[in-house]
Amino acid sequence: MNAVRNKGNSPWRSRWRPAFLAGLALAAHASAQADTVSHTVEPGDSLYKLAARYMGDPLAWPDIQKLNRISNPHRLRPGASLLIPKLSSAVTASFVHGEVLLLDNAGNPIKSISRGDQLAEGNIVRTGQNSYLSLEFADNSVARILSNTRIRLDRIKEGGVVPQGQRVIYLEQGDMDISVTPAPSRNPHHFKVITPQAVAAVRGTRFTVGAGDSSTTSVTQGQVEMQQAKPGQPKPGTVLQAGQGIAASGSGLGEVQTLLAAPDLSQLPSTLPEPELLQFSWPSLDGGREYQYRVAQDEGMEKVLWNAASDSARAALPSLQDGEYLLAVRALDIHGIAGYEAQHRFAIHSHPSSPWLLAPQQGQIVAGDSILRCTPVEGAQGYRLQIASDRDFQQIVVDADNLDHCQYQLGSLAEGRYYWRVASKTAQDSMRQGPYSQPADITISEDAGTPLAIPGQAYWTSTLQDIRYIAQVSRTPQFESLAAEQALDGPNINIQSLPPGRYYVRIATKLENQTGPFSDARIIEVEHNDDGFDRTWFDKPRP
């Protein structure tokens, strides 16, 4: 009997199947309700209008018909209740750097955008100078919003009921770099960037869009369909293939251009020891009128820490924390169309910081038995001092590898000109050595005197012109409070006006309105003699 029952003759089968199907129907209905909103049909409603109103796309009306099992889509009964696919409207700020603001419709700031914030359809966003925003969509498409850019999220539609999302961004001004996850070929273009002059529509590609007095689009992967932005003056569209770009103005789309090649970055250094500024230069490209450059922490160039443009084949920015980075550079042609991008990996190694120099002064003539003195560095366990007869240190005459204190007694050197440099060493990683200071030159002569260090003063050498720094001075190495803060116009510091004692001093390099990271603290001693002079209010010791 069991065998017969298993073949389908069980008296339970007829009762079990309807119950099972009813359960599935209830589960499907509950799931549908969770992803839908209810709408009561009014006179004049149509599926076409409802799809446009709720889903942002009138051509999505078959999804409403299917969900509600409507046999005749041309006849809707007023008063009937319909389920409309519920679409989420959010995109995630996956990375934020600098000034990134959410604006109201009048352009006034509402708040600063932070990493992880959810942005909604209709939001207006502005990035400031050297600022950056990475937006990630539900399908992992990414829009990278570069500095000095303003966008509006015109349409951000996502939902499991609709087979593809809809993402429309209005680029008012600035630059975007976009990676769109490919959609099936049967689906309509689901990602669009609209500028005042043109519309770029894609299913899946990597492309850039810029907007200003004119707009530009360049494609490095896939293809992009271009249309004029003014529907009242329809003109034939253009399909851009990988390696092509186009500029658009108020009069329409221009001629398709071949993208400029990627710049040659192969000669750039891979390691930068204690850079005051990050400076890069590369061969210029024929036809390149401007270069856009970015520095990021990741392979995908989404965690961008600096992005700017230069009218020459060079880049300059404040230094960064120790670590590995990617520099990306692309050229813009005479139309402003961005070409292919080149990338270069480099590492910064600036800790432990090198000592500053106390004596002798730069270029000073000293006796052969003089002492070279430099500042201690907070956290250093020792120092390495080298003296060479050439600035490139190919002819090293002294290599004092394990100095307990930051000083060295000269001896047995012939008269002449020499260069000296110092590095700090720490106990970590078996006496890890930091970068050397830039060389300072001295001249040894038996007729010269002994150089003296001036309490409260120190200097270092720099290869840069017109360099500016911010110096912070504290009584403690933790810098909980500042005894002083100074703007320095050159590579030297003087804190003699402060009360006697030991001070910790750290500096950061400035470039325009941007400041790099602070160095390790150097230690400077301030001494005062009672010279009988009445100090000014600034020079008097603080109570």
Side-chain angles (χ1 to χ4, degrees), residues 312-332:
S312 61
R314 61 180 62 244
L317 58 147
S319 187
L320 300 167
Q321 299 287 355
D322 283 13
E324 293 191 354
Y325 300 91
L326 277 175
L327 168 70
V329 182
R330 61 191 177 200
L332 274 61

mmCIF file of all heavy atoms in Angstrom, residues 312-332:
data_model
loop_
_atom_site.group_PDB
_atom_site.id
_atom_site.type_symbol
_atom_site.label_atom_id
_atom_site.label_comp_id
_atom_site.label_asym_id
_atom_site.label_seq_id
_atom_site.Cartn_x
_atom_site.Cartn_y
_atom_site.Cartn_z
ATOM 1 N N SER A 312 50.433 72.517 -17.474
ATOM 2 C CA SER A 312 51.711 71.974 -17.926
ATOM 3 C C SER A 312 51.826 70.526 -17.459
ATOM 4 O O SER A 312 51.043 70.075 -16.618
ATOM 5 C CB SER A 312 52.882 72.805 -17.385
ATOM 6 O OG SER A 312 52.892 72.786 -15.969
ATOM 7 N N ALA A 313 52.838 69.827 -17.973
ATOM 8 C CA ALA A 313 52.987 68.397 -17.674
ATOM 9 C C ALA A 313 53.689 68.196 -16.339
ATOM 10 O O ALA A 313 54.762 67.595 -16.257
ATOM 11 C CB ALA A 313 53.746 67.709 -18.801
ATOM 12 N N ARG A 314 53.067 68.697 -15.287
ATOM 13 C CA ARG A 314 53.619 68.558 -13.948
ATOM 14 C C ARG A 314 52.509 68.648 -12.915
ATOM 15 O O ARG A 314 51.439 69.220 -13.170
ATOM 16 C CB ARG A 314 54.686 69.619 -13.667
ATOM 17 C CG ARG A 314 54.176 71.055 -13.729
ATOM 18 C CD ARG A 314 55.289 72.063 -13.446
ATOM 19 N NE ARG A 314 56.338 71.973 -14.446
ATOM 20 C CZ ARG A 314 57.588 71.609 -14.154
ATOM 21 N NH1 ARG A 314 57.914 71.286 -12.912
ATOM 22 N NH2 ARG A 314 58.496 71.565 -15.110
ATOM 23 N N ALA A 315 52.760 68.067 -11.762
ATOM 24 C CA ALA A 315 51.789 68.087 -10.669
ATOM 25 C C ALA A 315 52.521 68.432 -9.386
ATOM 26 O O ALA A 315 53.681 68.055 -9.189
ATOM 27 C CB ALA A 315 51.107 66.724 -10.526
ATOM 28 N N ALA A 316 51.845 69.176 -8.502
ATOM 29 C CA ALA A 316 52.412 69.532 -7.203
ATOM 30 C C ALA A 316 51.301 69.490 -6.164
ATOM 31 O O ALA A 316 50.202 70.001 -6.399
ATOM 32 C CB ALA A 316 53.047 70.917 -7.255
ATOM 33 N N LEU A 317 51.599 68.878 -5.026
ATOM 34 C CA LEU A 317 50.630 68.789 -3.942
ATOM 35 C C LEU A 317 51.368 68.580 -2.637
ATOM 36 O O LEU A 317 52.532 68.163 -2.623
ATOM 37 C CB LEU A 317 49.653 67.635 -4.177
ATOM 38 C CG LEU A 317 50.239 66.240 -4.331
ATOM 39 C CD1 LEU A 317 49.271 65.217 -3.748
ATOM 40 C CD2 LEU A 317 50.463 65.908 -5.807
ATOM 41 N N PRO A 318 50.733 68.898 -1.501
ATOM 42 C CA PRO A 318 51.388 68.654 -0.214
ATOM 43 C C PRO A 318 51.658 67.172 -0.024
ATOM 44 O O PRO A 318 51.004 66.316 -0.623
ATOM 45 C CB PRO A 318 50.352 69.157 0.814
ATOM 46 C CG PRO A 318 49.473 70.075 0.054
ATOM 47 C CD PRO A 318 49.428 69.549 -1.339
ATOM 48 N N SER A 319 52.637 66.878 0.820
ATOM 49 C CA SER A 319 52.970 65.486 1.067
ATOM 50 C C SER A 319 51.819 64.774 1.768
ATOM 51 O O SER A 319 50.875 65.398 2.258
ATOM 52 C CB SER A 319 54.242 65.386 1.909
ATOM 53 O OG SER A 319 54.655 64.042 2.019
ATOM 54 N N LEU A 320 51.900 63.447 1.808
ATOM 55 C CA LEU A 320 50.893 62.603 2.433
ATOM 56 C C LEU A 320 51.538 61.747 3.509
ATOM 57 O O LEU A 320 52.766 61.725 3.654
ATOM 58 C CB LEU A 320 50.228 61.713 1.373
ATOM 59 C CG LEU A 320 49.521 62.439 0.236
ATOM 60 C CD1 LEU A 320 49.193 61.473 -0.889
ATOM 61 C CD2 LEU A 320 48.252 63.125 0.729
ATOM 62 N N GLN A 321 50.709 61.027 4.262
ATOM 63 C CA GLN A 321 51.242 60.119 5.267
ATOM 64 C C GLN A 321 52.042 59.004 4.601
ATOM 65 O O GLN A 321 51.857 58.694 3.425
ATOM 66 C CB GLN A 321 50.091 59.509 6.081
ATOM 67 C CG GLN A 321 49.258 60.521 6.845
ATOM 68 C CD GLN A 321 49.978 61.093 8.055
ATOM 69 O OE1 GLN A 321 51.085 60.685 8.401
ATOM 70 N NE2 GLN A 321 49.350 62.047 8.727
ATOM 71 N N ASP A 322 52.926 58.381 5.369
ATOM 72 C CA ASP A 322 53.675 57.245 4.839
ATOM 73 C C ASP A 322 52.720 56.174 4.321
ATOM 74 O O ASP A 322 51.686 55.890 4.932
ATOM 75 C CB ASP A 322 54.563 56.642 5.926
ATOM 76 C CG ASP A 322 55.817 57.477 6.173
ATOM 77 O OD1 ASP A 322 55.855 58.617 5.686
ATOM 78 O OD2 ASP A 322 56.731 56.985 6.852
ATOM 79 N N GLY A 323 53.072 55.570 3.191
ATOM 80 C CA GLY A 323 52.230 54.526 2.624
ATOM 81 C C GLY A 323 52.410 54.441 1.129
ATOM 82 O O GLY A 323 53.260 55.111 0.540
ATOM 83 N N GLU A 324 51.595 53.592 0.490
ATOM 84 C CA GLU A 324 51.626 53.405 -0.955
ATOM 85 C C GLU A 324 50.432 54.094 -1.600
ATOM 86 O O GLU A 324 49.321 54.048 -1.066
ATOM 87 C CB GLU A 324 51.633 51.920 -1.310
ATOM 88 C CG GLU A 324 52.908 51.192 -0.902
ATOM 89 C CD GLU A 324 52.981 49.801 -1.499
ATOM 90 O OE1 GLU A 324 51.986 49.375 -2.123
ATOM 91 O OE2 GLU A 324 54.032 49.158 -1.353
ATOM 92 N N TYR A 325 50.672 54.695 -2.766
ATOM 93 C CA TYR A 325 49.643 55.467 -3.453
ATOM 94 C C TYR A 325 49.725 55.227 -4.961
ATOM 95 O O TYR A 325 50.713 54.689 -5.474
ATOM 96 C CB TYR A 325 49.825 56.963 -3.170
ATOM 97 C CG TYR A 325 49.731 57.327 -1.713
ATOM 98 C CD1 TYR A 325 50.882 57.355 -0.908
ATOM 99 C CD2 TYR A 325 48.516 57.630 -1.119
ATOM 100 C CE1 TYR A 325 50.812 57.684 0.433
ATOM 101 C CE2 TYR A 325 48.434 57.963 0.221
ATOM 102 C CZ TYR A 325 49.582 57.988 0.991
ATOM 103 O OH TYR A 325 49.502 58.305 2.319
ATOM 104 N N LEU A 326 48.669 55.651 -5.638
ATOM 105 C CA LEU A 326 48.636 55.631 -7.102
ATOM 106 C C LEU A 326 48.421 57.051 -7.608
ATOM 107 O O LEU A 326 47.515 57.760 -7.137
ATOM 108 C CB LEU A 326 47.511 54.740 -7.616
ATOM 109 C CG LEU A 326 47.781 53.240 -7.707
ATOM 110 C CD1 LEU A 326 46.522 52.508 -8.114
ATOM 111 C CD2 LEU A 326 48.892 52.946 -8.704
ATOM 112 N N LEU A 327 49.266 57.455 -8.535
ATOM 113 C CA LEU A 327 49.086 58.716 -9.249
ATOM 114 C C LEU A 327 48.471 58.401 -10.602
ATOM 115 O O LEU A 327 48.960 57.532 -11.323
ATOM 116 C CB LEU A 327 50.429 59.416 -9.431
ATOM 117 C CG LEU A 327 50.447 60.601 -10.406
ATOM 118 C CD1 LEU A 327 49.680 61.790 -9.828
ATOM 119 C CD2 LEU A 327 51.884 60.995 -10.758
ATOM 120 N N ALA A 328 47.384 59.080 -10.966
ATOM 121 C CA ALA A 328 46.738 58.900 -12.266
ATOM 122 C C ALA A 328 46.752 60.234 -13.005
ATOM 123 O O ALA A 328 46.422 61.272 -12.415
ATOM 124 C CB ALA A 328 45.307 58.397 -12.104
ATOM 125 N N VAL A 329 47.139 60.194 -14.266
ATOM 126 C CA VAL A 329 47.246 61.409 -15.075
ATOM 127 C C VAL A 329 46.609 61.161 -16.432
ATOM 128 O O VAL A 329 46.802 60.101 -17.037
ATOM 129 C CB VAL A 329 48.725 61.827 -15.274
ATOM 130 C CG1 VAL A 329 48.797 63.128 -16.075
ATOM 131 C CG2 VAL A 329 49.428 61.981 -13.935
ATOM 132 N N ARG A 330 45.858 62.136 -16.909
ATOM 133 C CA ARG A 330 45.325 62.081 -18.275
ATOM 134 C C ARG A 330 45.378 63.480 -18.868
ATOM 135 O O ARG A 330 45.283 64.493 -18.150
ATOM 136 C CB ARG A 330 43.907 61.532 -18.296
ATOM 137 C CG ARG A 330 42.884 62.349 -17.517
ATOM 138 C CD ARG A 330 41.592 61.577 -17.384
ATOM 139 N NE ARG A 330 40.609 62.306 -16.583
ATOM 140 C CZ ARG A 330 39.566 61.727 -15.983
ATOM 141 N NH1 ARG A 330 39.381 60.425 -16.104
ATOM 142 N NH2 ARG A 330 38.708 62.437 -15.287
ATOM 143 N N ALA A 331 45.525 63.541 -20.168
ATOM 144 C CA ALA A 331 45.614 64.813 -20.874
ATOM 145 C C ALA A 331 44.268 65.178 -21.479
ATOM 146 O O ALA A 331 43.496 64.304 -21.886
ATOM 147 C CB ALA A 331 46.672 64.734 -21.966
ATOM 148 N N LEU A 332 43.984 66.468 -21.548
ATOM 149 C CA LEU A 332 42.805 66.995 -22.227
ATOM 150 C C LEU A 332 43.258 67.634 -23.532
ATOM 151 O O LEU A 332 44.260 68.368 -23.562
ATOM 152 C CB LEU A 332 42.088 68.031 -21.364
ATOM 153 C CG LEU A 332 41.072 67.520 -20.338
ATOM 154 C CD1 LEU A 332 41.730 66.608 -19.319
ATOM 155 C CD2 LEU A 332 40.399 68.693 -19.622
#
